Amino acid sequence: MTQISGSPLDENSYVLETRALRAYYRMKYFGIDREVRAVDGISMHVRKNEIYGIAGESSCGKTTFIKAIAAAIRPPLEIVAGHVNYNFINNDLYALPSKERSAIRWRHLSYILQGSMNVLNPVRRIHKTFEDFAFRHMHMGRSEFEQEVKRHLERLRLPAEILRAYPHELSGGMRQRVCIALATLCKPEFIIADEPTTALDVVVQKDVLAMIRETQSEFGSSMIFVTHDLAVHANITDRLGIMYAGRLVEEGRTADVFSNPMHPYTAHLIASLPRIGDIHPRNALTGSPPSLADPPKGCRFHPRCPLAMEICRHENPALTTLAEDHRVACFAASATVQPTSDEKPQHPEALETVR
Amino acid sequence: MIAVFRDLFRYNGEFAIGFMIMMVILGVAATSFFSPYAPIDSYLVAMDAPPSAEYVFGTNSRGQDIFWQLTFALRNTLAFGFIVALISRILSLAIGLISGYAGGAVDRVLMSVNDTFIVIPLFPLLVLLYFVLRDDMTWFVLALVMAGLGWAYDARLIRSVMISLRTREFTNTSVFSGMSMPRIVTQEHLPYVLPIVFSTFMNNMNWSIGLEVTLAVLGFTDVDTPTIGGMIFWANQHSAMVSGIWWWYFFPTLFVTLTFIGLFLLSISMNEYIDPRSRLDRMGNS
Amino acid sequence: MTGPLLQLEGVSKTYRRGGLFGREEFRAVDNVSFRIEDNEPQVFTVIGESGSGKTTLARMILNMVRPTAGTIFFKGQDLASMRGARARRIFMKDVQPIFQNPFEAFNPLKRVDRYLLMTAKNFTPARSSAQLEAAADRALKKVGLSIGEVRGRFPHELSGGQLQRVAIARALIPGPSMIVADEPVSMVDASLRMSIVNLFRTLRDDLKVSIIYITHDLATAYYVSDRIIIMRKGEVVESGSARVVLENPQHSYSQLLKSAVLSPDPHGRGVLTGDSAASQQARASPHPQIDNLEPQVR
């Protein structure tokens, strides 16, 4: 399979690349079989030293997607098809033996999660948690390791005293900062941030975002940043992918997506954002997000789409490059914009029709 | 209900095995009604006969057919466990609900009583009661005493579930829908509590049967009512192991072990079934 | 009857945190006063971060929690003087809540229409099942749903936005004059958020319902509110007309809040810096106080 994006960058500059990734939940309970197609054919890549944002509503599959790229697949979730390639392993993540797969974690690939309490052990002091997570990956002596942790905290402008604290003694914002420090200690090439600021108050949120941004640019890591809050994406991400019902519907440079949203769903999301100083009435989308156990045929957005055409009911639009570094999966958008000429407009795996 | 049962049987291995074991046990216990001998009569058949076509499980040194003895023993032991579990469930449900719902001083008083019962050393207490009551310590009195001692732990569990239910948002929705508190408790909260009651029922039966067997083996119970423990007690009295009458131990032990396993399997399969998450997943598709 | 619909006079709520060694008092709400007039329905917004006491305030207005000091009058009646199930029912007919998490607002094991019918039965003259359904349907129509869409449905079969609208419909059935909405959109997806907020406008304008909108989100507050108060650690730091306050906040905390709102216009990288006053402060103190204690209310 050749390169799937229209980007002129060479393949080596990708840190992560997924190809037609499908991850389904397959459940069997007391005779009821169910298949939830939470990630259904996502092809994307994350470049070196960038923050790639993923936006989408609850149950659009964004959490499943990051589980898939983080090799955190447990039944009933299964990888059904597709590839997850990282440049630091030069290979498909799921082709690795599971032992090597877990060795990647933390050293090359780390996470910042929403609930810091899930990461920080409530009955251990912070420095113990640092040891638990990172010591064996750092390959150094204990005192050397402690020095390194202190240096790291200093670099992130966190006081060294927090190492002696228990998680509950810290405020939510401080705990989240500790998690960021923990995730970046081994200077991983890739960081997955899953709603890292959603539970925080607005004032704290801004500072934590700033810290994430600074840390990321200092270490040159690449990052996937998942949140449903578009205002956060506007402020932190370089490129943005919009997910809807298990698929990527639009992807581009954040500024382009905001200034020129091409998918009607994206356009709606951006138009409905309230702004202080503007009381212009905002319209809401009608209908509800589809169930991933029984998604609509064709374009999954068509039942709610103001631009829906006949073809949308039957065929699934492929993610097509419609402007520089800007891909959209919409028949209506493709009809009004000519795909940029020197590229193949579609990649084959996205053309598979939905059952 | 029947559909639930059918699905459990079909798709839950633990349930199927546990259910079949318990059916066998109950079947054996039920045959006691057709026994040719009265349970306490002795020296009716040849003594110390090993298992054979005539005496399937053999006979003992008191001239009793072990198979028919066992049917009575199983029936009594199961009935004992059932009565203890039933009474103690009623107690823990009532006390847990009242404590969790009323809160405040009522809660504090009930829970201090509750905690006292949790920390009481049961075994010495039961032995002491046996020495005090002696002949009055019948099978039924023992069941009542054990029920009175066996509710505390689960009452605390039910109370904590009630407290968390009371702070759930839907309780407030129910209040503002004009429902009265007793109604909210019975209609909104009980569906969360009853599965706990059912699942702890099996555990409690196991606990009480185990304790009864222990007491009986040591002779601290009414040995004239045949129970599994009572059978082992008599086997001990006649030094059956020394005389090589292994079947006198073997069959009671086998059947009580099967009972434990059967109840345990039923209890864990119920647990899986009543786990709210899997319950919701199933509801989503039915 | 004229006069204020709702009037708070010096309302405070103190929780005691008891430890083995000494007790600590925690003021969740500290001396809050405001009034909402009866003759002009409005969206009255309470803004605050976690630990600001806004949820405690909402629970006191809903008469679920008694203030430790001060008085709350609803239509001239002191809530503390309300005794008995009957008086409570009359109050609930007039004041209804909407809660934060739509997935938690209904018992997951029960059908959602049950709550609609129950509310209709307890607060309206409807008696027959056809009348009850009609009452529920009328309320559902106001939020853009119909009884056919919710009849026999369990909460997990509906989306968060649908559930929140059902919750609003339920609150509307008794014909209340005031709705207290505690963070009603914080758990609702972005594409549906505005439909809920727009609904508040409609309720105010068409049904003359006053809404107490409790939120931490300044942008929707600006979009929908008539008046706001901004709370910090139980105290009101600023109040007034929503547009005036949010466009030109006077109190330093209000200014800080406004400055922290992320603008949805992309700036590219580098705009976020960690040098704001708040972040300096946060980094200076390694053990920030446990400032988000919101005690569970019995």
Side-chain angles (χ1 to χ4, degrees), chain B residues 166 168-170 172-173 175-178 187-188 192 284, chain C residues 89 96 99 104-105 107-108 110 114-115 119 122 156 170 298:
Chain B
R166 216 181 38 182
R168 294 271 294 265
E169 208 94 287
F170 68 75
N172 292 326
T173 304
V175 169
F176 278 89
S177 299
Q187 296 189 353
E188 303 283 317
Y192 289 87
Chain C
R89 190 164 284 199
Q96 281 283 334
F99 297 110
E104 266 285 296
N107 190 338
K110 298 278 179 177
R114 159 191 172 82
Y115 298 93
T119 311
N122 286 316
H156 63 88
R170 193 206 59 77
R298 284 198 181 273

PDB file of all heavy atoms in Angstrom, chain B residues 166 168-170 172-173 175-178 187-188 192 284, chain C residues 89 96 99 104-105 107-108 110 114-115 119 122 156 170 298:
ATOM      1  N   ARG B 166     -29.171   6.831  47.504  1.00  0.00           N
ATOM      2  CA  ARG B 166     -29.906   8.016  47.917  1.00  0.00           C
ATOM      3  C   ARG B 166     -29.251   9.284  47.398  1.00  0.00           C
ATOM      4  O   ARG B 166     -29.920  10.297  47.200  1.00  0.00           O
ATOM      5  CB  ARG B 166     -29.990   8.056  49.435  1.00  0.00           C
ATOM      6  CG  ARG B 166     -31.296   8.614  49.910  1.00  0.00           C
ATOM      7  CD  ARG B 166     -31.327   8.666  51.398  1.00  0.00           C
ATOM      8  NE  ARG B 166     -30.006   9.046  51.899  1.00  0.00           N
ATOM      9  CZ  ARG B 166     -29.726   9.141  53.177  1.00  0.00           C
ATOM     10  NH1 ARG B 166     -30.657   8.856  54.054  1.00  0.00           N
ATOM     11  NH2 ARG B 166     -28.523   9.492  53.572  1.00  0.00           N
ATOM     12  N   ARG B 168     -27.766   9.388  44.517  1.00  0.00           N
ATOM     13  CA  ARG B 168     -27.780   9.387  43.046  1.00  0.00           C
ATOM     14  C   ARG B 168     -28.782  10.425  42.550  1.00  0.00           C
ATOM     15  O   ARG B 168     -29.804  10.682  43.183  1.00  0.00           O
ATOM     16  CB  ARG B 168     -28.187   8.002  42.521  1.00  0.00           C
ATOM     17  CG  ARG B 168     -27.210   6.889  42.817  1.00  0.00           C
ATOM     18  CD  ARG B 168     -26.152   6.732  41.749  1.00  0.00           C
ATOM     19  NE  ARG B 168     -26.637   6.301  40.467  1.00  0.00           N
ATOM     20  CZ  ARG B 168     -26.666   5.042  40.053  1.00  0.00           C
ATOM     21  NH1 ARG B 168     -26.263   4.080  40.844  1.00  0.00           N
ATOM     22  NH2 ARG B 168     -27.090   4.747  38.843  1.00  0.00           N
ATOM     23  N   GLU B 169     -28.470  10.965  41.395  1.00  0.00           N
ATOM     24  CA  GLU B 169     -29.300  12.030  40.857  1.00  0.00           C
ATOM     25  C   GLU B 169     -30.741  11.579  40.618  1.00  0.00           C
ATOM     26  O   GLU B 169     -31.680  12.332  40.817  1.00  0.00           O
ATOM     27  CB  GLU B 169     -28.674  12.517  39.556  1.00  0.00           C
ATOM     28  CG  GLU B 169     -28.961  13.958  39.231  1.00  0.00           C
ATOM     29  CD  GLU B 169     -27.859  14.882  39.726  1.00  0.00           C
ATOM     30  OE1 GLU B 169     -27.781  15.085  40.949  1.00  0.00           O
ATOM     31  OE2 GLU B 169     -27.084  15.385  38.895  1.00  0.00           O
ATOM     32  N   PHE B 170     -30.915  10.333  40.191  1.00  0.00           N
ATOM     33  CA  PHE B 170     -32.286   9.932  39.848  1.00  0.00           C
ATOM     34  C   PHE B 170     -33.203   9.897  41.069  1.00  0.00           C
ATOM     35  O   PHE B 170     -34.415   9.996  40.931  1.00  0.00           O
ATOM     36  CB  PHE B 170     -32.315   8.617  39.063  1.00  0.00           C
ATOM     37  CG  PHE B 170     -31.897   7.384  39.826  1.00  0.00           C
ATOM     38  CD1 PHE B 170     -32.752   6.811  40.752  1.00  0.00           C
ATOM     39  CD2 PHE B 170     -30.673   6.794  39.579  1.00  0.00           C
ATOM     40  CE1 PHE B 170     -32.380   5.673  41.432  1.00  0.00           C
ATOM     41  CE2 PHE B 170     -30.295   5.652  40.254  1.00  0.00           C
ATOM     42  CZ  PHE B 170     -31.151   5.089  41.187  1.00  0.00           C
ATOM     43  N   ASN B 172     -33.242  12.266  43.243  1.00  0.00           N
ATOM     44  CA  ASN B 172     -33.777  13.624  43.255  1.00  0.00           C
ATOM     45  C   ASN B 172     -34.855  13.800  42.195  1.00  0.00           C
ATOM     46  O   ASN B 172     -35.857  14.468  42.426  1.00  0.00           O
ATOM     47  CB  ASN B 172     -32.657  14.631  43.035  1.00  0.00           C
ATOM     48  CG  ASN B 172     -31.700  14.672  44.212  1.00  0.00           C
ATOM     49  OD1 ASN B 172     -32.133  14.498  45.340  1.00  0.00           O
ATOM     50  ND2 ASN B 172     -30.430  14.858  43.944  1.00  0.00           N
ATOM     51  N   THR B 173     -34.615  13.220  41.012  1.00  0.00           N
ATOM     52  CA  THR B 173     -35.648  13.308  39.979  1.00  0.00           C
ATOM     53  C   THR B 173     -36.941  12.688  40.488  1.00  0.00           C
ATOM     54  O   THR B 173     -38.026  13.238  40.291  1.00  0.00           O
ATOM     55  CB  THR B 173     -35.185  12.576  38.699  1.00  0.00           C
ATOM     56  OG1 THR B 173     -33.945  13.123  38.285  1.00  0.00           O
ATOM     57  CG2 THR B 173     -36.207  12.748  37.589  1.00  0.00           C
ATOM     58  N   VAL B 175     -37.917  12.421  43.600  1.00  0.00           N
ATOM     59  CA  VAL B 175     -38.505  13.308  44.607  1.00  0.00           C
ATOM     60  C   VAL B 175     -39.281  14.422  43.912  1.00  0.00           C
ATOM     61  O   VAL B 175     -40.434  14.696  44.241  1.00  0.00           O
ATOM     62  CB  VAL B 175     -37.407  13.906  45.509  1.00  0.00           C
ATOM     63  CG1 VAL B 175     -37.972  15.013  46.375  1.00  0.00           C
ATOM     64  CG2 VAL B 175     -36.784  12.820  46.365  1.00  0.00           C
ATOM     65  N   PHE B 176     -38.656  15.017  42.912  1.00  0.00           N
ATOM     66  CA  PHE B 176     -39.321  16.132  42.240  1.00  0.00           C
ATOM     67  C   PHE B 176     -40.380  15.661  41.243  1.00  0.00           C
ATOM     68  O   PHE B 176     -41.058  16.467  40.633  1.00  0.00           O
ATOM     69  CB  PHE B 176     -38.282  17.048  41.577  1.00  0.00           C
ATOM     70  CG  PHE B 176     -37.680  18.019  42.547  1.00  0.00           C
ATOM     71  CD1 PHE B 176     -36.558  17.681  43.281  1.00  0.00           C
ATOM     72  CD2 PHE B 176     -38.269  19.255  42.778  1.00  0.00           C
ATOM     73  CE1 PHE B 176     -36.019  18.562  44.201  1.00  0.00           C
ATOM     74  CE2 PHE B 176     -37.737  20.137  43.694  1.00  0.00           C
ATOM     75  CZ  PHE B 176     -36.607  19.800  44.415  1.00  0.00           C
ATOM     76  N   SER B 177     -40.510  14.354  41.065  1.00  0.00           N
ATOM     77  CA  SER B 177     -41.649  13.834  40.314  1.00  0.00           C
ATOM     78  C   SER B 177     -42.825  13.595  41.262  1.00  0.00           C
ATOM     79  O   SER B 177     -43.851  13.084  40.848  1.00  0.00           O
ATOM     80  CB  SER B 177     -41.300  12.516  39.621  1.00  0.00           C
ATOM     81  OG  SER B 177     -40.253  12.719  38.715  1.00  0.00           O
ATOM     82  N   GLY B 178     -42.627  13.929  42.538  1.00  0.00           N
ATOM     83  CA  GLY B 178     -43.716  13.828  43.494  1.00  0.00           C
ATOM     84  C   GLY B 178     -43.835  12.470  44.149  1.00  0.00           C
ATOM     85  O   GLY B 178     -44.860  12.173  44.758  1.00  0.00           O
ATOM     86  N   GLN B 187     -39.599   1.176  44.870  1.00  0.00           N
ATOM     87  CA  GLN B 187     -39.668   1.053  43.414  1.00  0.00           C
ATOM     88  C   GLN B 187     -38.366   1.402  42.707  1.00  0.00           C
ATOM     89  O   GLN B 187     -38.023   0.793  41.701  1.00  0.00           O
ATOM     90  CB  GLN B 187     -40.792   1.929  42.870  1.00  0.00           C
ATOM     91  CG  GLN B 187     -42.140   1.455  43.361  1.00  0.00           C
ATOM     92  CD  GLN B 187     -43.276   2.160  42.669  1.00  0.00           C
ATOM     93  OE1 GLN B 187     -43.071   3.094  41.904  1.00  0.00           O
ATOM     94  NE2 GLN B 187     -44.484   1.715  42.940  1.00  0.00           N
ATOM     95  N   GLU B 188     -37.649   2.407  43.234  1.00  0.00           N
ATOM     96  CA  GLU B 188     -36.444   2.842  42.530  1.00  0.00           C
ATOM     97  C   GLU B 188     -35.193   2.148  43.065  1.00  0.00           C
ATOM     98  O   GLU B 188     -34.260   1.896  42.317  1.00  0.00           O
ATOM     99  CB  GLU B 188     -36.265   4.357  42.686  1.00  0.00           C
ATOM    100  CG  GLU B 188     -37.437   5.180  42.199  1.00  0.00           C
ATOM    101  CD  GLU B 188     -37.480   5.288  40.687  1.00  0.00           C
ATOM    102  OE1 GLU B 188     -36.427   5.505  40.085  1.00  0.00           O
ATOM    103  OE2 GLU B 188     -38.565   5.131  40.114  1.00  0.00           O
ATOM    104  N   TYR B 192     -31.990  -2.467  42.910  1.00  0.00           N
ATOM    105  CA  TYR B 192     -30.534  -2.547  43.046  1.00  0.00           C
ATOM    106  C   TYR B 192     -30.143  -3.414  44.237  1.00  0.00           C
ATOM    107  O   TYR B 192     -29.041  -3.931  44.292  1.00  0.00           O
ATOM    108  CB  TYR B 192     -29.938  -1.151  43.257  1.00  0.00           C
ATOM    109  CG  TYR B 192     -29.988  -0.297  42.020  1.00  0.00           C
ATOM    110  CD1 TYR B 192     -31.102   0.469  41.723  1.00  0.00           C
ATOM    111  CD2 TYR B 192     -28.923  -0.274  41.137  1.00  0.00           C
ATOM    112  CE1 TYR B 192     -31.165   1.239  40.583  1.00  0.00           C
ATOM    113  CE2 TYR B 192     -28.965   0.495  40.004  1.00  0.00           C
ATOM    114  CZ  TYR B 192     -30.091   1.246  39.723  1.00  0.00           C
ATOM    115  OH  TYR B 192     -30.141   1.996  38.598  1.00  0.00           O
ATOM    116  N   GLY B 284     -30.088  -3.538  26.676  1.00  0.00           N
ATOM    117  CA  GLY B 284     -30.008  -2.790  25.431  1.00  0.00           C
ATOM    118  C   GLY B 284     -30.360  -3.605  24.211  1.00  0.00           C
ATOM    119  O   GLY B 284     -30.607  -3.064  23.144  1.00  0.00           O
TER     120      GLY B 284
ATOM    121  N   ARG C  89     -45.087  19.553  48.242  1.00  0.00           N
ATOM    122  CA  ARG C  89     -45.607  19.243  46.912  1.00  0.00           C
ATOM    123  C   ARG C  89     -46.044  20.523  46.195  1.00  0.00           C
ATOM    124  O   ARG C  89     -45.799  20.692  44.998  1.00  0.00           O
ATOM    125  CB  ARG C  89     -46.778  18.271  47.070  1.00  0.00           C
ATOM    126  CG  ARG C  89     -47.235  17.704  45.777  1.00  0.00           C
ATOM    127  CD  ARG C  89     -48.087  16.501  45.995  1.00  0.00           C
ATOM    128  NE  ARG C  89     -47.260  15.351  46.364  1.00  0.00           N
ATOM    129  CZ  ARG C  89     -47.683  14.099  46.265  1.00  0.00           C
ATOM    130  NH1 ARG C  89     -48.900  13.842  45.839  1.00  0.00           N
ATOM    131  NH2 ARG C  89     -46.900  13.094  46.594  1.00  0.00           N
ATOM    132  N   GLN C  96     -38.878  23.488  39.834  1.00  0.00           N
ATOM    133  CA  GLN C  96     -38.414  22.173  39.389  1.00  0.00           C
ATOM    134  C   GLN C  96     -36.929  22.235  39.029  1.00  0.00           C
ATOM    135  O   GLN C  96     -36.428  23.273  38.604  1.00  0.00           O
ATOM    136  CB  GLN C  96     -39.231  21.701  38.180  1.00  0.00           C
ATOM    137  CG  GLN C  96     -40.602  21.146  38.546  1.00  0.00           C
ATOM    138  CD  GLN C  96     -40.513  19.731  39.113  1.00  0.00           C
ATOM    139  OE1 GLN C  96     -39.578  18.982  38.823  1.00  0.00           O
ATOM    140  NE2 GLN C  96     -41.481  19.365  39.950  1.00  0.00           N
ATOM    141  N   PHE C  99     -30.815  18.521  36.397  1.00  0.00           N
ATOM    142  CA  PHE C  99     -29.513  18.200  36.981  1.00  0.00           C
ATOM    143  C   PHE C  99     -28.427  18.109  35.917  1.00  0.00           C
ATOM    144  O   PHE C  99     -28.702  18.107  34.725  1.00  0.00           O
ATOM    145  CB  PHE C  99     -29.596  16.902  37.767  1.00  0.00           C
ATOM    146  CG  PHE C  99     -30.544  17.009  38.929  1.00  0.00           C
ATOM    147  CD1 PHE C  99     -31.753  16.333  38.920  1.00  0.00           C
ATOM    148  CD2 PHE C  99     -30.240  17.814  40.012  1.00  0.00           C
ATOM    149  CE1 PHE C  99     -32.632  16.451  39.977  1.00  0.00           C
ATOM    150  CE2 PHE C  99     -31.108  17.931  41.071  1.00  0.00           C
ATOM    151  CZ  PHE C  99     -32.310  17.244  41.052  1.00  0.00           C
ATOM    152  N   GLU C 104     -27.575  10.305  34.547  1.00  0.00           N
ATOM    153  CA  GLU C 104     -27.809   9.951  35.944  1.00  0.00           C
ATOM    154  C   GLU C 104     -29.183  10.411  36.411  1.00  0.00           C
ATOM    155  O   GLU C 104     -29.623  10.036  37.489  1.00  0.00           O
ATOM    156  CB  GLU C 104     -26.741  10.624  36.816  1.00  0.00           C
ATOM    157  CG  GLU C 104     -25.556   9.742  37.095  1.00  0.00           C
ATOM    158  CD  GLU C 104     -25.894   8.677  38.123  1.00  0.00           C
ATOM    159  OE1 GLU C 104     -26.186   9.039  39.263  1.00  0.00           O
ATOM    160  OE2 GLU C 104     -25.885   7.485  37.770  1.00  0.00           O
ATOM    161  N   ALA C 105     -29.839  11.258  35.612  1.00  0.00           N
ATOM    162  CA  ALA C 105     -31.073  11.873  36.073  1.00  0.00           C
ATOM    163  C   ALA C 105     -32.230  10.887  36.100  1.00  0.00           C
ATOM    164  O   ALA C 105     -33.252  11.140  36.733  1.00  0.00           O
ATOM    165  CB  ALA C 105     -31.424  13.071  35.201  1.00  0.00           C
ATOM    166  N   ASN C 107     -33.349   6.694  36.531  1.00  0.00           N
ATOM    167  CA  ASN C 107     -32.912   5.378  36.986  1.00  0.00           C
ATOM    168  C   ASN C 107     -32.623   4.494  35.772  1.00  0.00           C
ATOM    169  O   ASN C 107     -33.508   4.262  34.951  1.00  0.00           O
ATOM    170  CB  ASN C 107     -34.034   4.775  37.840  1.00  0.00           C
ATOM    171  CG  ASN C 107     -33.600   3.516  38.550  1.00  0.00           C
ATOM    172  OD1 ASN C 107     -32.653   2.860  38.140  1.00  0.00           O
ATOM    173  ND2 ASN C 107     -34.301   3.192  39.615  1.00  0.00           N
ATOM    174  N   PRO C 108     -31.391   4.005  35.651  1.00  0.00           N
ATOM    175  CA  PRO C 108     -31.036   3.223  34.466  1.00  0.00           C
ATOM    176  C   PRO C 108     -31.861   1.943  34.296  1.00  0.00           C
ATOM    177  O   PRO C 108     -31.933   1.403  33.197  1.00  0.00           O
ATOM    178  CB  PRO C 108     -29.573   2.856  34.688  1.00  0.00           C
ATOM    179  CG  PRO C 108     -29.100   3.658  35.826  1.00  0.00           C
ATOM    180  CD  PRO C 108     -30.268   4.180  36.574  1.00  0.00           C
ATOM    181  N   LYS C 110     -35.093   1.757  34.938  1.00  0.00           N
ATOM    182  CA  LYS C 110     -36.508   2.057  34.738  1.00  0.00           C
ATOM    183  C   LYS C 110     -36.693   2.795  33.421  1.00  0.00           C
ATOM    184  O   LYS C 110     -35.774   3.443  32.925  1.00  0.00           O
ATOM    185  CB  LYS C 110     -37.008   2.947  35.893  1.00  0.00           C
ATOM    186  CG  LYS C 110     -36.905   2.293  37.257  1.00  0.00           C
ATOM    187  CD  LYS C 110     -38.080   1.386  37.481  1.00  0.00           C
ATOM    188  CE  LYS C 110     -37.969   0.716  38.840  1.00  0.00           C
ATOM    189  NZ  LYS C 110     -39.119  -0.121  39.125  1.00  0.00           N
ATOM    190  N   ARG C 114     -41.766   6.773  32.655  1.00  0.00           N
ATOM    191  CA  ARG C 114     -42.314   6.607  33.992  1.00  0.00           C
ATOM    192  C   ARG C 114     -42.268   7.904  34.793  1.00  0.00           C
ATOM    193  O   ARG C 114     -43.224   8.254  35.476  1.00  0.00           O
ATOM    194  CB  ARG C 114     -41.496   5.510  34.672  1.00  0.00           C
ATOM    195  CG  ARG C 114     -41.509   5.475  36.154  1.00  0.00           C
ATOM    196  CD  ARG C 114     -40.427   4.492  36.609  1.00  0.00           C
ATOM    197  NE  ARG C 114     -40.248   4.535  38.045  1.00  0.00           N
ATOM    198  CZ  ARG C 114     -41.044   3.883  38.869  1.00  0.00           C
ATOM    199  NH1 ARG C 114     -42.017   3.153  38.412  1.00  0.00           N
ATOM    200  NH2 ARG C 114     -40.873   3.978  40.171  1.00  0.00           N
ATOM    201  N   TYR C 115     -41.139   8.627  34.673  1.00  0.00           N
ATOM    202  CA  TYR C 115     -40.985   9.853  35.458  1.00  0.00           C
ATOM    203  C   TYR C 115     -41.902  10.959  34.937  1.00  0.00           C
ATOM    204  O   TYR C 115     -42.386  11.783  35.695  1.00  0.00           O
ATOM    205  CB  TYR C 115     -39.524  10.310  35.447  1.00  0.00           C
ATOM    206  CG  TYR C 115     -38.640   9.280  36.087  1.00  0.00           C
ATOM    207  CD1 TYR C 115     -38.017   8.305  35.317  1.00  0.00           C
ATOM    208  CD2 TYR C 115     -38.481   9.236  37.456  1.00  0.00           C
ATOM    209  CE1 TYR C 115     -37.239   7.334  35.900  1.00  0.00           C
ATOM    210  CE2 TYR C 115     -37.712   8.265  38.048  1.00  0.00           C
ATOM    211  CZ  TYR C 115     -37.092   7.312  37.270  1.00  0.00           C
ATOM    212  OH  TYR C 115     -36.344   6.338  37.862  1.00  0.00           O
ATOM    213  N   THR C 119     -44.825  12.478  37.240  1.00  0.00           N
ATOM    214  CA  THR C 119     -44.915  13.911  37.496  1.00  0.00           C
ATOM    215  C   THR C 119     -46.299  14.423  37.116  1.00  0.00           C
ATOM    216  O   THR C 119     -46.910  15.195  37.857  1.00  0.00           O
ATOM    217  CB  THR C 119     -43.833  14.656  36.688  1.00  0.00           C
ATOM    218  OG1 THR C 119     -42.585  14.004  36.905  1.00  0.00           O
ATOM    219  CG2 THR C 119     -43.724  16.080  37.112  1.00  0.00           C
ATOM    220  N   ASN C 122     -48.826  13.397  39.746  1.00  0.00           N
ATOM    221  CA  ASN C 122     -48.719  14.027  41.054  1.00  0.00           C
ATOM    222  C   ASN C 122     -48.944  15.534  41.027  1.00  0.00           C
ATOM    223  O   ASN C 122     -49.250  16.116  42.059  1.00  0.00           O
ATOM    224  CB  ASN C 122     -47.344  13.741  41.665  1.00  0.00           C
ATOM    225  CG  ASN C 122     -47.240  12.309  42.155  1.00  0.00           C
ATOM    226  OD1 ASN C 122     -48.162  11.798  42.776  1.00  0.00           O
ATOM    227  ND2 ASN C 122     -46.135  11.663  41.859  1.00  0.00           N
ATOM    228  N   HIS C 156     -30.544   4.337  28.631  1.00  0.00           N
ATOM    229  CA  HIS C 156     -29.384   4.087  27.779  1.00  0.00           C
ATOM    230  C   HIS C 156     -29.758   3.993  26.312  1.00  0.00           C
ATOM    231  O   HIS C 156     -28.886   3.944  25.453  1.00  0.00           O
ATOM    232  CB  HIS C 156     -28.671   2.811  28.216  1.00  0.00           C
ATOM    233  CG  HIS C 156     -29.518   1.591  28.076  1.00  0.00           C
ATOM    234  ND1 HIS C 156     -29.560   0.864  26.917  1.00  0.00           N
ATOM    235  CD2 HIS C 156     -30.376   1.014  28.927  1.00  0.00           C
ATOM    236  CE1 HIS C 156     -30.408  -0.132  27.069  1.00  0.00           C
ATOM    237  NE2 HIS C 156     -30.917  -0.067  28.290  1.00  0.00           N
ATOM    238  N   ARG C 170     -39.852  16.971  31.708  1.00  0.00           N
ATOM    239  CA  ARG C 170     -40.421  16.528  32.979  1.00  0.00           C
ATOM    240  C   ARG C 170     -40.579  17.710  33.929  1.00  0.00           C
ATOM    241  O   ARG C 170     -41.604  17.868  34.588  1.00  0.00           O
ATOM    242  CB  ARG C 170     -39.540  15.470  33.628  1.00  0.00           C
ATOM    243  CG  ARG C 170     -40.201  14.742  34.778  1.00  0.00           C
ATOM    244  CD  ARG C 170     -39.213  14.199  35.776  1.00  0.00           C
ATOM    245  NE  ARG C 170     -38.394  15.270  36.353  1.00  0.00           N
ATOM    246  CZ  ARG C 170     -38.800  16.111  37.290  1.00  0.00           C
ATOM    247  NH1 ARG C 170     -40.013  16.004  37.783  1.00  0.00           N
ATOM    248  NH2 ARG C 170     -38.011  17.072  37.718  1.00  0.00           N
ATOM    249  N   ARG C 298     -27.151  14.993  52.406  1.00  0.00           N
ATOM    250  CA  ARG C 298     -28.053  13.901  52.738  1.00  0.00           C
ATOM    251  C   ARG C 298     -29.430  14.191  52.203  1.00  0.00           C
ATOM    252  O   ARG C 298     -29.949  15.247  52.338  1.00  0.00           O
ATOM    253  CB  ARG C 298     -28.171  13.741  54.261  1.00  0.00           C
ATOM    254  CG  ARG C 298     -26.976  13.081  54.829  1.00  0.00           C
ATOM    255  CD  ARG C 298     -27.295  12.560  56.204  1.00  0.00           C
ATOM    256  NE  ARG C 298     -26.141  11.920  56.791  1.00  0.00           N
ATOM    257  CZ  ARG C 298     -25.843  10.655  56.600  1.00  0.00           C
ATOM    258  NH1 ARG C 298     -26.621   9.918  55.875  1.00  0.00           N
ATOM    259  NH2 ARG C 298     -24.785  10.136  57.152  1.00  0.00           N
TER     260      ARG C 298
END
